[in-house]
Amino acid sequence: MSGRERLVVLGYAAGWRLVRALPESAASALFRAGADRAAAKRGPGVQRLARNLRNVLGHDPSDELVRDAVRSYARYWLEAFRLPSKSKAQLRDGFRLHGVDKLIAAHEAGTGAIVALPHAGNWDAAGAVVTAHGVPLTTVAERLKPEGLYRRFLAYREKLGMTIVPTVGGQGSPIDALVKALGQAHIVPLLADRDLSARGVEVEFFGGRTRMPAGPAMLALRTGAPLFVVDMWYEPDMACGRVVGPLPVPDASAGPLDVRVKLLTQQVADGLARGIAAHPADWHMLQKLWLTEPPAGDPAAARATSAAGATDPEE
């Protein structure tokens, strides 16, 4: 490990220790002040976040919305650092997950479930709520560099009760490991709004084109397990989420496997868009996403998805 990598690992370790040691009010004030400074400075990550929000809204976001979005991202990190010190009861009571009973029922039915998530709200806390209900959960994690940082995040998520499959460097393929987990009735949440492989499925998203991972659709078609989308956002008092679905899975009459994967991945994209449009400030996308961006000045698609996202089609 290089000297720089060692400093990165030590920095995260210090963050975990310091944030848990501080009173919650003091830690919150510290992270909010840091977020406000970052929003005012408008570095590359914040500029990209603002551009992504523009694609959601159809117009440039206000300075207030950008600030709130950076505050939301900082809140995620604050809560992530504090999560491992919470009891199961605190994890259950600290996240309002509407429809968690659908996931519990899928586990009890023996099918397990696939859950497509956006980088929004607090996805780690959402997973911790599921495990705090006594339901097994398996997911994948990007193999971060340096390795020491990856191992720290691995230990963090395992302490929350999650089984982690690395995207690379594990035993066998990640998809086979997830198929096995579903065969054991696990819940399998997967971040699905950004493709890390450059081999994803091209979909329409807010009127533009992007790629999203094929994993959720492939798993649903291969195993028959139900596929859900989860909206996630913050309320002033706690992080929240809503389980939407299950999504209708195309059968063989829709075409060959690649066509069905594309159709189902588009459904995932539409579901994620509805949740993001309803709570744009809580979408933490600081990376380039679109291959071709939505046309400026045309928020009609975003308004439509926002309105449609107010209700669960299964309710």
Side-chain angles (χ1 to χ4, degrees):
M1 183 187 299
S2 69
R4 182 180 180 279
E5 289 175 338
R6 188 175 294 108
L7 285 175
V8 170
V9 175
L10 290 173
Y12 273 92
W16 253 290
R17 288 195 299 269
L18 176 62
V19 172
R20 279 186 277 178
L22 286 172
E24 188 166 353
S25 59
S28 296
L30 178 65
F31 272 68
R32 175 169 285 209
D36 289 353
R37 284 196 298 272
K41 186 178 179 182
R42 286 279 179 139
V46 176
Q47 291 178 40
R48 173 53 63 182
L49 174 63
R51 185 161 186 171
N52 288 339
L53 288 172
R54 168 202 167 280
N55 290 338
V56 169
L57 300 171
H59 57 80
D60 288 331
S62 66
D63 289 343
E64 181 181 13
L65 178 60
V66 174
R67 182 205 65 194
D68 289 347
V70 180
R71 283 181 175 180
S72 177
Y73 186 49
R75 182 175 173 179
Y76 161 75
W77 281 107
L78 169 63
E79 293 180 353
F81 285 137
R82 296 178 71 92
L83 272 180
S85 62
K86 295 183 180 295
S87 67
K88 286 186 177 182
Q90 288 173 321
L91 291 171
R92 286 194 300 269
D93 296 341
F95 190 104
R96 192 177 296 120
L97 183 57
H98 305 277
V100 67
D101 54 300
K102 296 181 179 182
L103 304 183
I104 295 171
H107 168 65
E108 292 176 344
T111 63
I114 305 129
V115 182
L117 308 171
H119 288 80
N122 192 328
W123 54 92
D124 285 325
V129 167
V130 173
T131 61
H133 278 88
V135 177
L137 181 149
T138 297
T139 188
V140 296
E142 182 183 0
R143 193 133 203 161
L144 300 172
K145 293 182 179 179
E147 180 71 11
L149 181 59
Y150 166 73
R151 292 193 177 280
R152 184 164 289 277
F153 272 97
L154 180 66
Y156 155 65
R157 291 189 169 106
E158 287 178 341
K159 188 171 182 179
L160 295 175
M162 305 177 190
T163 299
I164 304 300
V165 177
T167 51
V168 294
Q171 295 181 349
S173 74
I175 194 80
D176 288 342
L178 297 179
V179 167
K180 181 179 178 181
L182 288 165
Q184 297 168 343
H186 287 209
I187 305 303
V188 174
L190 299 169
L191 288 164
D193 55 350
R194 184 165 70 95
D195 176 50
L196 296 174
S197 69
R199 298 188 302 273
V201 177
E202 192 169 315
V203 294
E204 182 175 334
F205 195 55
F206 289 105
R209 304 296 296 178
T210 187
R211 290 191 185 96
M212 290 188 177
M218 285 289 296
L219 284 169
L221 290 164
R222 183 169 167 180
T223 68
L227 171 58
F228 298 90
V229 172
V230 171
D231 303 335
M232 287 188 291
W233 68 94
Y234 278 118
E235 298 290 349
D237 61 328
M238 70 175 65
C240 299
R242 178 182 294 109
V243 180
V244 179
L247 302 182
V249 177
D251 61 25
S253 65
L257 179 61
D258 62 330
V259 171
R260 286 178 281 151
V261 167
K262 185 175 180 64
L263 289 170
L264 191 48
T265 304
Q266 184 63 62
Q267 286 191 57
V268 170
D270 294 343
L272 294 175
R274 285 191 288 268
I276 291 164
H279 305 281
D282 294 316
W283 188 40
H284 310 148
M285 186 55 67
L286 281 71
Q287 296 83 23
K288 178 175 172 57
L289 185 68
W290 276 269
L291 302 171
T292 58
E293 297 193 351
D298 181 15
R303 287 202 303 268
T305 53
S306 179
T311 58
D312 183 336
E314 291 294 312
E315 293 180 348

mmCIF file of all heavy atoms in Angstrom, residues 54-59 204-209 290 292-301:
data_model
loop_
_atom_site.group_PDB
_atom_site.id
_atom_site.type_symbol
_atom_site.label_atom_id
_atom_site.label_comp_id
_atom_site.label_asym_id
_atom_site.label_seq_id
_atom_site.Cartn_x
_atom_site.Cartn_y
_atom_site.Cartn_z
ATOM 1 N N ARG A 54 -30.259 19.162 -13.509
ATOM 2 C CA ARG A 54 -30.854 19.862 -14.644
ATOM 3 C C ARG A 54 -31.544 18.872 -15.585
ATOM 4 O O ARG A 54 -32.622 19.136 -16.120
ATOM 5 C CB ARG A 54 -29.763 20.635 -15.402
ATOM 6 C CG ARG A 54 -30.187 21.164 -16.769
ATOM 7 C CD ARG A 54 -28.958 21.404 -17.635
ATOM 8 N NE ARG A 54 -29.325 21.604 -19.015
ATOM 9 C CZ ARG A 54 -29.612 20.614 -19.878
ATOM 10 N NH1 ARG A 54 -29.600 19.357 -19.466
ATOM 11 N NH2 ARG A 54 -29.931 20.881 -21.126
ATOM 12 N N ASN A 55 -30.936 17.716 -15.792
ATOM 13 C CA ASN A 55 -31.535 16.717 -16.677
ATOM 14 C C ASN A 55 -32.809 16.123 -16.085
ATOM 15 O O ASN A 55 -33.698 15.690 -16.823
ATOM 16 C CB ASN A 55 -30.518 15.619 -16.966
ATOM 17 C CG ASN A 55 -29.381 16.100 -17.839
ATOM 18 O OD1 ASN A 55 -29.501 17.091 -18.553
ATOM 19 N ND2 ASN A 55 -28.249 15.407 -17.771
ATOM 20 N N VAL A 56 -32.893 16.078 -14.771
ATOM 21 C CA VAL A 56 -34.117 15.604 -14.110
ATOM 22 C C VAL A 56 -35.224 16.651 -14.209
ATOM 23 O O VAL A 56 -36.383 16.338 -14.502
ATOM 24 C CB VAL A 56 -33.823 15.265 -12.633
ATOM 25 C CG1 VAL A 56 -35.110 15.028 -11.854
ATOM 26 C CG2 VAL A 56 -32.917 14.050 -12.530
ATOM 27 N N LEU A 57 -34.864 17.918 -13.971
ATOM 28 C CA LEU A 57 -35.856 18.986 -13.883
ATOM 29 C C LEU A 57 -36.272 19.541 -15.237
ATOM 30 O O LEU A 57 -37.378 20.060 -15.387
ATOM 31 C CB LEU A 57 -35.296 20.134 -13.036
ATOM 32 C CG LEU A 57 -34.911 19.808 -11.590
ATOM 33 C CD1 LEU A 57 -34.186 20.989 -10.975
ATOM 34 C CD2 LEU A 57 -36.134 19.428 -10.771
ATOM 35 N N GLY A 58 -35.355 19.488 -16.221
ATOM 36 C CA GLY A 58 -35.602 20.133 -17.497
ATOM 37 C C GLY A 58 -35.146 21.578 -17.516
ATOM 38 O O GLY A 58 -35.320 22.275 -18.512
ATOM 39 N N HIS A 59 -34.570 22.061 -16.433
ATOM 40 C CA HIS A 59 -34.039 23.430 -16.353
ATOM 41 C C HIS A 59 -32.955 23.437 -15.282
ATOM 42 O O HIS A 59 -32.827 22.507 -14.489
ATOM 43 C CB HIS A 59 -35.134 24.443 -16.015
ATOM 44 C CG HIS A 59 -35.865 24.124 -14.734
ATOM 45 N ND1 HIS A 59 -35.362 24.429 -13.475
ATOM 46 C CD2 HIS A 59 -37.059 23.499 -14.519
ATOM 47 C CE1 HIS A 59 -36.220 24.025 -12.544
ATOM 48 N NE2 HIS A 59 -37.242 23.455 -13.148
ATOM 49 N N GLU A 204 -33.850 4.622 -21.910
ATOM 50 C CA GLU A 204 -34.252 6.022 -21.876
ATOM 51 C C GLU A 204 -34.438 6.431 -20.423
ATOM 52 O O GLU A 204 -35.046 5.704 -19.622
ATOM 53 C CB GLU A 204 -35.546 6.235 -22.658
ATOM 54 C CG GLU A 204 -35.973 7.699 -22.689
ATOM 55 C CD GLU A 204 -37.197 7.945 -23.552
ATOM 56 O OE1 GLU A 204 -37.421 7.155 -24.494
ATOM 57 O OE2 GLU A 204 -37.925 8.912 -23.260
ATOM 58 N N PHE A 205 -33.928 7.624 -20.077
ATOM 59 C CA PHE A 205 -33.979 8.084 -18.693
ATOM 60 C C PHE A 205 -34.156 9.599 -18.714
ATOM 61 O O PHE A 205 -33.265 10.320 -19.135
ATOM 62 C CB PHE A 205 -32.673 7.682 -17.989
ATOM 63 C CG PHE A 205 -32.692 7.756 -16.492
ATOM 64 C CD1 PHE A 205 -33.662 7.087 -15.751
ATOM 65 C CD2 PHE A 205 -31.720 8.470 -15.804
ATOM 66 C CE1 PHE A 205 -33.669 7.131 -14.366
ATOM 67 C CE2 PHE A 205 -31.705 8.516 -14.422
ATOM 68 C CZ PHE A 205 -32.691 7.854 -13.704
ATOM 69 N N PHE A 206 -35.330 10.063 -18.305
ATOM 70 C CA PHE A 206 -35.657 11.480 -18.331
ATOM 71 C C PHE A 206 -35.486 12.087 -19.723
ATOM 72 O O PHE A 206 -35.067 13.230 -19.874
ATOM 73 C CB PHE A 206 -34.815 12.262 -17.308
ATOM 74 C CG PHE A 206 -35.201 11.983 -15.883
ATOM 75 C CD1 PHE A 206 -34.401 11.187 -15.086
ATOM 76 C CD2 PHE A 206 -36.372 12.501 -15.354
ATOM 77 C CE1 PHE A 206 -34.754 10.917 -13.769
ATOM 78 C CE2 PHE A 206 -36.734 12.248 -14.040
ATOM 79 C CZ PHE A 206 -35.925 11.456 -13.242
ATOM 80 N N GLY A 207 -35.790 11.317 -20.754
ATOM 81 C CA GLY A 207 -35.731 11.835 -22.114
ATOM 82 C C GLY A 207 -34.374 11.741 -22.774
ATOM 83 O O GLY A 207 -34.238 12.072 -23.958
ATOM 84 N N GLY A 208 -33.348 11.303 -22.039
ATOM 85 C CA GLY A 208 -32.027 11.075 -22.613
ATOM 86 C C GLY A 208 -31.713 9.590 -22.644
ATOM 87 O O GLY A 208 -32.564 8.757 -22.321
ATOM 88 N N ARG A 209 -30.496 9.244 -23.032
ATOM 89 C CA ARG A 209 -30.086 7.854 -23.100
ATOM 90 C C ARG A 209 -28.926 7.614 -22.134
ATOM 91 O O ARG A 209 -28.005 8.426 -22.031
ATOM 92 C CB ARG A 209 -29.630 7.478 -24.514
ATOM 93 C CG ARG A 209 -30.652 7.738 -25.605
ATOM 94 C CD ARG A 209 -31.907 6.895 -25.458
ATOM 95 N NE ARG A 209 -31.641 5.455 -25.598
ATOM 96 C CZ ARG A 209 -32.587 4.521 -25.465
ATOM 97 N NH1 ARG A 209 -33.829 4.861 -25.157
ATOM 98 N NH2 ARG A 209 -32.278 3.253 -25.624
ATOM 99 N N TRP A 290 -25.373 10.332 -18.382
ATOM 100 C CA TRP A 290 -26.053 10.235 -19.665
ATOM 101 C C TRP A 290 -25.085 10.075 -20.837
ATOM 102 O O TRP A 290 -24.030 10.711 -20.878
ATOM 103 C CB TRP A 290 -26.919 11.460 -19.899
ATOM 104 C CG TRP A 290 -28.271 11.373 -19.259
ATOM 105 C CD1 TRP A 290 -29.411 10.887 -19.810
ATOM 106 C CD2 TRP A 290 -28.625 11.790 -17.929
ATOM 107 N NE1 TRP A 290 -30.461 10.964 -18.914
ATOM 108 C CE2 TRP A 290 -30.007 11.515 -17.753
ATOM 109 C CE3 TRP A 290 -27.926 12.364 -16.870
ATOM 110 C CZ2 TRP A 290 -30.690 11.800 -16.569
ATOM 111 C CZ3 TRP A 290 -28.594 12.645 -15.689
ATOM 112 C CH2 TRP A 290 -29.961 12.369 -15.542
ATOM 113 N N THR A 292 -26.470 10.472 -24.067
ATOM 114 C CA THR A 292 -27.039 11.641 -24.752
ATOM 115 C C THR A 292 -27.999 12.279 -23.763
ATOM 116 O O THR A 292 -28.913 11.617 -23.265
ATOM 117 C CB THR A 292 -27.782 11.247 -26.042
ATOM 118 O OG1 THR A 292 -28.825 10.317 -25.736
ATOM 119 C CG2 THR A 292 -26.828 10.596 -27.027
ATOM 120 N N GLU A 293 -27.806 13.542 -23.472
ATOM 121 C CA GLU A 293 -28.559 14.181 -22.404
ATOM 122 C C GLU A 293 -29.930 14.629 -22.885
ATOM 123 O O GLU A 293 -30.145 14.890 -24.074
ATOM 124 C CB GLU A 293 -27.770 15.360 -21.841
ATOM 125 C CG GLU A 293 -26.444 14.917 -21.211
ATOM 126 C CD GLU A 293 -25.796 15.996 -20.389
ATOM 127 O OE1 GLU A 293 -26.271 17.147 -20.422
ATOM 128 O OE2 GLU A 293 -24.801 15.688 -19.699
ATOM 129 N N PRO A 294 -30.899 14.727 -21.959
ATOM 130 C CA PRO A 294 -32.234 15.195 -22.335
ATOM 131 C C PRO A 294 -32.169 16.616 -22.889
ATOM 132 O O PRO A 294 -31.290 17.392 -22.509
ATOM 133 C CB PRO A 294 -33.009 15.161 -21.013
ATOM 134 C CG PRO A 294 -32.237 14.234 -20.123
ATOM 135 C CD PRO A 294 -30.810 14.387 -20.535
ATOM 136 N N PRO A 295 -33.102 16.972 -23.773
ATOM 137 C CA PRO A 295 -33.104 18.337 -24.298
ATOM 138 C C PRO A 295 -33.405 19.347 -23.208
ATOM 139 O O PRO A 295 -34.247 19.098 -22.331
ATOM 140 C CB PRO A 295 -34.204 18.305 -25.368
ATOM 141 C CG PRO A 295 -35.076 17.150 -24.983
ATOM 142 C CD PRO A 295 -34.176 16.144 -24.346
ATOM 143 N N ALA A 296 -32.716 20.471 -23.245
ATOM 144 C CA ALA A 296 -32.943 21.514 -22.242
ATOM 145 C C ALA A 296 -34.316 22.149 -22.448
ATOM 146 O O ALA A 296 -34.839 22.205 -23.556
ATOM 147 C CB ALA A 296 -31.848 22.575 -22.346
ATOM 148 N N GLY A 297 -34.885 22.627 -21.353
ATOM 149 C CA GLY A 297 -36.138 23.369 -21.433
ATOM 150 C C GLY A 297 -37.358 22.524 -21.650
ATOM 151 O O GLY A 297 -38.418 23.053 -21.991
ATOM 152 N N ASP A 298 -37.265 21.213 -21.482
ATOM 153 C CA ASP A 298 -38.425 20.347 -21.687
ATOM 154 C C ASP A 298 -38.615 19.461 -20.466
ATOM 155 O O ASP A 298 -38.210 18.302 -20.461
ATOM 156 C CB ASP A 298 -38.235 19.493 -22.942
ATOM 157 C CG ASP A 298 -39.434 18.585 -23.202
ATOM 158 O OD1 ASP A 298 -40.494 18.825 -22.598
ATOM 159 O OD2 ASP A 298 -39.303 17.639 -23.996
ATOM 160 N N PRO A 299 -39.228 20.003 -19.407
ATOM 161 C CA PRO A 299 -39.398 19.230 -18.176
ATOM 162 C C PRO A 299 -40.625 18.339 -18.180
ATOM 163 O O PRO A 299 -40.960 17.754 -17.167
ATOM 164 C CB PRO A 299 -39.539 20.328 -17.113
ATOM 165 C CG PRO A 299 -40.228 21.434 -17.846
ATOM 166 C CD PRO A 299 -39.706 21.377 -19.264
ATOM 167 N N ALA A 300 -41.313 18.228 -19.330
ATOM 168 C CA ALA A 300 -42.576 17.493 -19.344
ATOM 169 C C ALA A 300 -42.404 16.049 -18.897
ATOM 170 O O ALA A 300 -43.203 15.523 -18.123
ATOM 171 C CB ALA A 300 -43.196 17.540 -20.744
ATOM 172 N N ALA A 301 -41.342 15.386 -19.395
ATOM 173 C CA ALA A 301 -41.135 13.982 -19.030
ATOM 174 C C ALA A 301 -40.897 13.843 -17.543
ATOM 175 O O ALA A 301 -41.412 12.937 -16.893
ATOM 176 C CB ALA A 301 -39.959 13.415 -19.821
#
